[in-house]
Amino acid sequence: MAEHQPLEAGIHPVAVSGFADGALYDSGRPPYPADLLLPLLQVPSDGDVLEVACGTGRFTEVLLSPQSPLAADPARLPCVEPSPAFAATFRARFPNVPCTEATAAALPFPDARFAAIYVATAFHWFADPASLREMRRVLRPGGRLVLLWDSVSPESEWMRRLRALYSQHDTGIPQYRKGTWRDVFGTPIDDDHVGSPNDDDAASNPGAKMFHLPISRTTVTWPFPLVGGAESVWKRVLSASFISSLPDDKKSELRAKIFELVDTAGDLQRQEDGSISFSYYADVWTVTAK
C-alpha cells in the first residue's frame, strides 16, 4: 500500500482551488448517459470495482444505474476523491457508497482487490507513473482500467466560439484535449490507440510494464438540452476548475462575453421550451492489466 501523504501533495493547485465547491460543480455538469456508456464499460458482475476521483458522483450515477451489475450492491463500489468539498457532496448523494478522501497515488486498499477501475474526466490531473503504478497495484491481473472523458462537442460554429472563449484561460493546466495524459502509455499509434505492446522500455513507456497495450478508444455522442438560457451555459463553463479559480473580475468579463455569444449566435438552436441544444461526446479508453 502506498505511503500516506497529505492530500494536497502532488495535486495541481488549480484543481485544489477550482474544485472547492461541490454544489457549483454538480449544478453545472450534465448527467452521463447510462444507456450509451454501460455497454462500453463492461462493469464486472462479481468482484469489487473502484472509482478513482469520483468527484460529486456524476459518473457514479452510471455505475449504479438500474441496469448496472453494481446497482444491487453499492458496497462493491468503494470510491476515492481528494477534494473534501466534492467528497462531502458525494456522500450526501450516495450515503451507501464508501467514499474515502485519497489520491490516485496513495490508494488505501490491498493489492489486487479490484476487478475494474474507472476514472471519469479526471485522469489528466494525475497521468503520471506513480499513480498508474498504484492503480495497477490494486487491480487484479486481467482487470480493466477504464479512463473516460466527456466534453462539449465542437460540432457547431457557436460551440467552437464558446470553447475558444473559455479555453484561453487553461494555459499550463492539464486538459484531456491537450493529449499529454497519453505519455504515460507511450506513443500514439493512431487516434484511437496509444502505446505499443512491443515497447518494453519502462522509462519511455511505463504503462507497458503494467498493462496489455495499446489502450483503445471508443467514442459516443449525445444531445443535452441546457435549461435556463445563457445562465445555464455559464454554469457549465464555470464548473471547469480553471474558470472557477479565476479572479472575480476575469470571471465577470468572461460571463459577459458568453452571454453576448448566446444572445447573438446565429446558429444556436433553441427548443420549444427555450432550452439550448448542447452536444456532448465521451471518449472511453480501456486497457487490461498484466
Side-chain angles (χ1 to χ4, degrees):
M1 196 174 298
E3 188 175 332
H4 175 76
Q5 58 180 323
L7 268 183
E8 294 188 2
I11 301 177
H12 197 288
V14 170
V16 173
S17 61
F19 292 143
D21 188 336
L24 171 66
Y25 182 92
D26 210 38
S27 66
R29 297 288 172 127
Y32 291 92
D35 57 333
L36 292 179
L37 290 176
L38 273 176
L40 305 179
L41 300 177
Q42 302 179 54
V43 179
S45 57
D46 54 38
D48 287 347
V49 171
L50 175 65
E51 185 180 357
V52 174
C54 61
T56 63
R58 277 304 193 190
F59 183 68
T60 315
E61 294 173 345
V62 175
L63 295 175
L64 294 178
S65 59
Q67 57 268 50
S68 169
L70 299 172
D73 189 5
R76 284 182 54 209
L77 179 64
C79 300
V80 296
E81 168 54 45
S83 164
F86 278 22
T89 301
F90 181 97
R91 293 185 187 113
R93 295 183 65 199
F94 301 98
N96 296 323
V97 178
C99 180
T100 304
E101 292 177 29
T103 66
L107 296 172
F109 305 107
D111 294 357
R113 172 175 170 178
F114 297 104
I117 296 177
Y118 296 92
V119 187
T121 314
F123 184 69
H124 53 280
W125 289 109
F126 46 88
D128 55 74
S131 295
L132 194 64
R133 278 194 298 271
E134 182 68 347
M135 288 191 287
R136 173 60 190 88
R137 180 185 67 79
V138 301
L139 192 61
R140 299 175 185 173
R144 286 187 301 278
L145 174 64
V146 181
L147 310 177
L148 176 147
W149 285 268
D150 76 327
S151 187
V152 175
S153 178
E155 64 178 23
S156 64
E157 176 61 25
W158 90 267
M159 295 183 77
R160 287 191 288 271
R161 290 169 61 192
L162 175 66
R163 173 175 281 188
L165 282 175
Y166 65 76
S167 63
Q168 63 183 301
H169 296 284
D170 72 358
T171 303
I173 298 170
Q175 291 290 292
Y176 169 65
R177 62 182 178 80
K178 296 180 180 179
T180 55
W181 66 271
R182 301 180 182 205
D183 295 347
V184 76
F185 292 105
T187 304
I189 299 172
D190 54 39
D191 288 346
D192 296 324
H193 303 85
V194 177
S196 169
N198 300 317
D199 184 0
D200 223 19
D201 181 359
S204 64
N205 186 1
K209 291 288 186 182
M210 298 177 269
F211 295 93
H212 294 289
L213 297 177
I215 184 170
S216 303
R217 176 175 68 171
T218 304
T219 301
V220 294
T221 60
W222 69 95
F224 183 78
L226 283 178
V227 179
E231 186 63 35
S232 63
V233 177
W234 168 241
K235 283 185 177 180
R236 171 60 184 87
V237 172
L238 187 59
S239 69
S241 60
F242 60 92
I243 300 299
S244 62
S245 60
L246 287 174
D248 287 345
D249 59 332
K250 293 293 185 183
K251 282 190 283 194
S252 295
E253 180 182 338
L254 178 60
R255 182 178 184 274
K257 290 180 179 178
I258 288 174
F259 269 63
E260 180 182 6
L261 172 62
V262 171
D263 288 341
T264 60
D267 63 331
L268 184 149
Q269 296 181 357
R270 296 182 186 270
Q271 301 187 19
E272 290 183 1
D273 62 359
S275 60
I276 295 173
S277 297
F278 232 60
S279 294
Y280 277 84
Y281 73 91
D283 285 343
V284 181
W285 294 84
T286 305
V287 70
T288 303
K290 288 185 175 180

